[in-house]
Amino acid sequence: FASRLMSILAMVGLGVVIFLFASRLFGNLAGLLSLALFAVNPVFISQGSLALTNPFLTFFVTLNLYLFFLLLKSFSMRLFIAFAATFALALASKVNAFLLLPVYLVALITVWHWQLPGYTVLGMHFANVRWRLLFRHAAVFVVTVLLVMFVVYQFKFGTLADSVPPK
């Protein structure tokens, strides 16, 4: 029962993130409509009550995309670390979350290249890129992701053969 409860909590958290994201983009009415459509979607209803990794992946990926959007709007180190931590949790739930990296790279290049109004990359516009700061933030991202992954895996290292019980 406890594993199903965690999946249900992940789906409830996903509903909150969907509401916040849609409300931030299009207003409260759109947020409520998005939440209502999410709540009656049979796929989410069925997946949310099973002890699978999909609810956790969906929650952490959606939360990570929302934090990425907030980072593009206004940068803060606390938000950046939360972004890296949710990326690591998405990776811990399913390795498919690595597919977010090219998406983020294309989004950052798009924001930089076209200098979209209201969006910045790490608080910088394209004209005044500080490469040292950019690499420092990349290092913070990598260290945060590794630290969260080590905590999730309880600092245990080994091969797949080590986890298979002997015959």
Side-chain angles (χ1 to χ4, degrees), residues 36-152:
L37 290 173
F38 163 74
V40 297
N41 188 327
V43 173
F44 291 115
I45 292 170
S46 66
Q47 292 286 315
S49 62
L50 301 174
L52 301 171
T53 58
N54 295 342
F56 300 103
L57 177 68
T58 308
F59 169 68
F60 288 124
V61 165
T62 307
L63 181 59
N64 195 250
L65 287 168
Y66 179 58
L67 292 174
F68 182 74
F69 169 75
L70 293 178
L71 276 172
L72 289 178
K73 286 299 213 177
S74 65
F75 181 81
S76 77
M77 186 54 80
R78 173 184 272 169
L79 198 58
F80 185 71
I81 290 173
F83 166 74
T86 56
F87 181 76
L89 290 170
L91 279 177
S93 61
K94 218 171 195 180
V95 76
N96 298 0
F98 260 117
L99 295 174
L100 286 173
L101 288 177
V103 171
Y104 292 144
L105 186 62
V106 168
L108 290 174
I109 289 171
T110 302
V111 168
W112 259 354
H113 182 69
W114 280 284
Q115 299 179 14
L116 299 175
Y119 295 93
T120 61
V121 176
L122 301 176
M124 299 180 285
H125 291 285
F126 185 71
N128 58 355
V129 174
R130 297 185 305 253
W131 292 103
R132 184 175 288 170
L133 182 66
L134 190 66
F135 289 124
R136 189 179 316 145
H137 284 85
V140 168
F141 180 81
V142 169
V143 167
T144 304
V145 167
L146 288 175
L147 183 64
V148 170
M149 292 295 282
F150 289 154
V151 168
V152 166

Side-chain angles (χ1 to χ4, degrees), residues 13-34:
L14 178 60
V16 170
V17 173
I18 286 172
F19 172 76
L20 292 173
F21 204 170
S23 296
R24 179 78 184 234
L25 286 173
F26 305 110
N28 287 336
L29 184 60
L32 287 173
L33 180 62
S34 299

